[in-house]
Amino acid sequence: MNNPVILVLNKLDCIQNRRPGYKGASLVFQRQQVSESYIKQWAREIATQFRLPGHQLKAVIPLSAKRGWNVEQLVESVENLSNMNLTNPSAPILPTYFVGVSNVGKSSLINSIAHKLYVPQPPHPTSRKVYFTKTDKHGKETVHWRWYTPPHAHHSEMLVLKSTKAEKRATNLLTVSNLPGTTIATTGIRVSLSGEDRGASSTHFFDTPGLHPHWQASSPLSLLDVRRSLQFSYRNPQCFILKQGGTLLFAGVAAIDVVKANSPILFAIYGSRKAGHAIINTDLSDAFWARELGKKIGPPMSLEQIGDMRLTTKKSYLFECYNKNKMTPKADIYICGMGWVSFHTLFQDDIVLRVRTLPGIVHGVREPLRINDVRALGRWPKLANGSRMSDKPIPKINKIIKLTSTDVDLSSEPVKAVQVYVRSEEH
């Protein structure tokens, strides 16, 4: 199959926080925006790692179907690649298939395209638009329009237009169900180029059922559990600072142990706020996890689903961090179906992190995505006592932990070396 592929990155509103008129302190949020050029390059590198042929990948478009961001770019790319604009009159018009995993927003994207392509039809061939102005209570004038139909037009020749808001709302939704992730069959939507349903001048958009990702077969997380842990809007990360010998417990399904580090490490968690996270000494992490699971550590699934499972699957990574910029994350550790964790270091260092997960939970390491969150502040965030490890112990174990440097024997487990390359500052 050599069909052209457009890689669409939906839910851009979870990565960028667009607000018009940045002023004063809001300029910090503006500097936190990850550029779209960086997102495109980041996605191309990951697509290459997953062996997507480069000659098939024609475009990478980050967008938000919920807010309508960059939908016009997708429409233009689809028109060019499917020959909808008839740039090659002798070539056929190709159909377009929207393929992706469940809950990624394929149906919402088709509806967003329909809103962009919708052209209001006149109720009668002789009807025309009439523009008029309205003045609000503040004296501001706005321009509106309506259809004007001549009196001689017979009512039997007029179209019946939906007038109520409920009817308009129902007709605007083409494929989305009230229950996300419930597209169970391929749905074809005809797109007419000339306003007529003829085969030569029309094509189809196909909405396909959600695919099961590679990690779903062995994961104890169901589709409902994954949806509970999704991030639906832009949020600042939840930050923790750990030293060597500390452990970050991630939502009860994973733990990140700091095996070797000569300086403190800042961990930034990107995920749902419904999941509970905590920091603890590595020696006490197993007992703390078993005692506080479902309380301070909130997994997305029920305790009955976890059963007798423990954080037994483990893999260690060696990060060779040569960049001196402490504001730039060195790498992302992602937990499939849950979110990801970025980490920062103060100095050049060789860091060993060990990731422990429940059986079936898949994780990995990738290039950092949100690279400007800490850089926009100009410093590491000032954390509360519950997020920073100190040398002053207090009785509450989840607040401030006294950590000691402990030696961890790695001779019995493999260590994967990861060399971290941080991008230049212009991104």
Side-chain angles (χ1 to χ4, degrees):
M1 297 292 290
N2 291 320
N3 297 328
V5 175
I6 301 175
L7 182 58
V8 178
L9 309 177
N10 194 16
K11 302 183 181 181
L12 181 61
D13 52 315
C14 297
I15 304 299
Q16 290 185 347
N17 184 24
R18 298 184 181 180
R19 282 170 39 189
Y22 289 98
K23 296 180 181 179
S26 298
L27 292 176
V28 175
F29 296 98
Q30 185 181 25
R31 292 194 295 267
Q32 285 183 350
Q33 308 303 315
V34 181
S35 64
E36 293 185 8
S37 60
Y38 177 84
I39 297 176
K40 293 179 180 179
Q41 184 178 357
W42 177 85
R44 282 185 179 274
E45 293 178 355
I46 293 182
T48 302
Q49 295 175 8
F50 282 89
R51 300 180 181 179
L52 179 63
H55 68 277
Q56 290 186 245
L57 185 57
K58 302 299 182 181
V60 178
I61 302 177
L63 55 81
S64 172
K66 179 181 178 180
R67 301 184 180 273
W69 298 347
N70 298 342
V71 177
E72 296 87 352
Q73 298 181 19
L74 176 61
V75 173
E76 183 179 357
S77 298
V78 171
E79 288 179 347
N80 295 331
L81 295 177
S82 64
N83 199 31
M84 289 179 60
N85 52 10
L86 300 179
T87 54
N88 188 357
S90 60
I93 301 176
L94 302 177
T96 304
Y97 290 83
F98 291 77
V99 183
V101 299
S102 301
N103 292 325
V104 80
K106 302 181 297 296
S107 301
S108 300
L109 180 56
I110 292 180
N111 289 316
S112 182
I113 293 176
H115 284 292
K116 296 294 182 180
L117 298 181
Y118 173 71
V119 178
Q121 299 296 321
H124 192 269
T126 60
S127 301
R128 67 179 187 274
K129 289 183 179 180
V130 176
Y131 293 87
F132 58 96
T133 59
K134 285 185 178 180
T135 304
D136 57 11
K137 61 181 180 180
H138 301 290
K140 182 179 179 180
E141 291 187 353
T142 56
V143 180
H144 303 266
W145 66 271
R146 64 178 178 85
W147 291 113
Y148 169 76
T149 304
H152 61 77
H154 198 271
H155 65 87
S156 61
E157 301 175 350
M158 299 179 62
L159 298 175
V160 179
L161 299 179
K162 306 297 183 181
S163 57
T164 64
K165 293 183 178 179
E167 290 175 338
K168 288 183 178 179
R169 193 181 304 113
T171 55
N172 286 340
L173 296 180
L174 298 178
T175 62
V176 166
S177 169
N178 291 330
L179 299 176
T182 56
T183 303
I184 59 177
T186 302
T187 305
I189 301 173
R190 185 184 295 273
V191 180
S192 178
L193 305 182
S194 60
E196 301 177 0
D197 292 337
R198 298 177 181 176
S201 60
S202 63
T203 185
H204 285 84
F205 287 167
F206 289 97
D207 185 18
T208 61
L211 302 176
H212 287 277
H214 65 93
W215 52 266
Q216 188 71 48
S218 60
S219 176
L221 298 173
S222 63
L223 291 178
L224 181 59
D225 298 333
V226 173
R227 178 161 178 81
R228 288 173 180 171
S229 60
L230 290 178
Q231 185 175 343
F232 293 97
S233 61
Y234 180 88
R235 292 184 180 275
N236 291 324
Q238 187 175 359
C239 297
F240 296 89
I241 294 181
L242 283 83
K243 300 178 182 178
Q244 178 175 317
T247 296
L248 171 64
L249 296 174
F250 182 86
V253 299
I256 302 177
D257 302 330
V258 182
V259 178
K260 179 180 180 297
N262 296 324
S263 61
I265 301 177
L266 173 66
F267 287 93
I269 300 178
Y270 298 90
S272 175
R273 294 295 178 91
K274 298 179 181 179
H277 315 288
I279 55 175
I280 190 67
N281 193 294
T282 302
D283 298 335
L284 306 175
S285 59
D286 291 335
F288 180 81
W289 181 88
R291 184 177 68 252
E292 299 297 337
L293 188 65
K295 300 176 183 178
K296 296 180 179 179
I297 306 174
M301 75 281 279
S302 62
L303 298 181
E304 289 77 9
Q305 291 177 266
I306 297 179
D308 297 333
M309 291 190 297
R310 294 295 182 266
L311 303 175
T312 55
T313 304
K314 57 185 177 180
K315 182 182 293 186
S316 297
Y317 299 93
L318 171 61
F319 296 92
E320 301 174 353
C321 304
Y322 296 127
N323 189 276
K324 296 181 179 180
N325 191 355
K326 64 180 181 180
M327 306 302 173
T328 304
K330 302 304 181 284
D332 286 350
I333 301 175
Y334 62 87
I335 312 296
C336 291
M338 293 295 300
W340 73 91
V341 180
S342 299
F343 72 92
H344 305 67
T345 59
L346 286 173
F347 310 106
Q348 301 185 58
D349 195 2
D350 291 340
I351 298 175
V352 177
L353 300 179
R354 179 174 56 196
V355 181
R356 295 179 288 142
T357 62
L358 295 176
I361 298 293
V362 179
H363 73 278
V365 178
R366 70 185 187 193
E367 285 285 325
L369 177 57
R370 290 177 56 170
I371 59 175
N372 292 334
D373 289 358
V374 177
R375 186 188 304 175
L377 297 175
R379 54 174 173 78
W380 279 18
K382 296 181 179 179
L383 305 183
N385 290 339
S387 302
R388 181 188 295 270
M389 290 190 289
S390 172
D391 294 332
K392 298 179 181 179
I394 61 174
K396 294 183 179 180
I397 196 170
N398 198 35
K399 293 298 181 181
I400 300 180
I401 314 300
K402 180 180 180 181
L403 294 180
T404 58
S405 299
T406 57
D407 296 331
V408 181
D409 184 15
L410 297 177
S411 59
S412 60
E413 57 180 297
V415 178
K416 183 178 180 180
V418 180
Q419 189 167 9
V420 179
Y421 298 96
V422 181
R423 301 183 183 279
S424 56
E425 296 296 329
E426 64 266 18
H427 293 291

